[in-house]
Amino acid sequence: MILTSLEMQGFKSFPEKTVLTFDKGITAVVGPNGSGKSNLSDAMRWVLGEQSTKNLRGSKMEDVIFGGTEHRPAMGFAEVSMTIDNRGENRINSDFDEITVTRRYFRTGDSQYLINNKQVRLRDIAEMFMNTGIGREGYSIIGQGKIQNIVEGKPEERRELFDEAAGIVKY
């Protein structure tokens, strides 16, 4: 299972359709402060179903939608799609070799979740990624300030992280 692409439109600092493709190996995202690096990890967490605006560095869910600038109007929606190559080791239990998870959120408050362009529930996405280490609570996305929380956390909180990493949460 390999992340192959991340597509964003109207999400935070990405008003235009932006597609990042990832090859095998290590990928690093670098850039100056304010260039959108943290927004990439927010996009990954969000498409996987994050509901806490605090974890997305906002105060309300509408904050994920591009708010506009002096020269560019605000967007009416945010959309993020994450595509995974599901061949090889640690496969997601699915009949598809490629899985695309999409989340859309509109200023009206309506939202949609899709797997391979088929509308699903948030719960379906969470269950699909259960015990993979990927997910809004998974160990694969550790946001700013979270390392300190893990180190200083209660043993029960750390155990949840280790259980997810070991793939035994469903048991």
Side-chain angles (χ1 to χ4, degrees):
M1 174 173 58
I2 298 170
L3 173 66
T4 58
S5 70
L6 184 66
E7 182 177 314
M8 299 158 290
Q9 183 174 5
F11 184 83
K12 289 194 170 190
S13 59
F14 298 97
E16 303 276 330
K17 183 182 244 182
T18 304
V19 180
L20 302 174
T21 56
F22 304 98
D23 293 325
K24 289 183 180 179
I26 297 172
T27 299
V29 178
V30 296
N33 290 344
S35 64
K37 299 179 304 291
S38 294
N39 289 346
L40 295 176
S41 62
D42 288 349
M44 299 250 327
R45 185 182 303 276
W46 186 73
V47 74
L48 293 169
E50 180 63 64
Q51 300 297 305
S52 168
T53 56
K54 180 182 171 190
N55 287 342
L56 296 169
R57 300 173 307 120
S59 59
K60 56 188 182 295
M61 192 55 74
E62 189 175 307
D63 291 343
V64 301
I65 303 173
F66 178 74
T69 66
E70 184 179 314
H71 304 289
R72 172 172 239 140
M75 300 286 290
F77 72 98
E79 178 177 307
V80 175
S81 295
M82 178 179 74
T83 302
I84 294 172
D85 181 342
N86 194 37
R87 295 174 287 201
E89 294 182 41
N90 302 324
R91 286 180 44 112
I92 294 170
N93 187 15
S94 171
D95 294 333
F96 297 101
D97 287 338
E98 186 173 86
I99 299 170
T100 300
V101 177
T102 302
R103 182 176 183 181
R104 292 185 191 118
Y105 182 79
F106 301 90
R107 284 204 187 273
T108 61
D110 295 329
S111 62
Q112 297 175 330
Y113 297 91
L114 299 100
I115 297 176
N116 290 350
N117 292 318
K118 179 183 174 210
Q119 194 157 349
V120 296
R121 305 168 298 172
L122 171 58
R123 181 178 181 167
D124 298 322
I125 292 172
E127 288 176 358
M128 181 174 73
F129 286 108
M130 189 177 287
N131 294 320
T132 64
I134 298 174
R136 63 181 183 193
E137 299 295 328
Y139 63 89
S140 59
I141 304 172
I142 300 176
Q144 294 177 349
K146 295 296 180 184
I147 297 294
Q148 184 173 356
N149 292 347
I150 292 168
V151 171
E152 295 175 353
K154 296 177 184 175
E156 301 84 32
E157 294 166 347
R158 282 195 298 260
R159 179 170 180 166
E160 289 175 14
L161 181 72
F162 293 131
D163 286 352
E164 178 68 31
I168 60 172
V169 170
K170 66 182 175 185
Y171 304 109

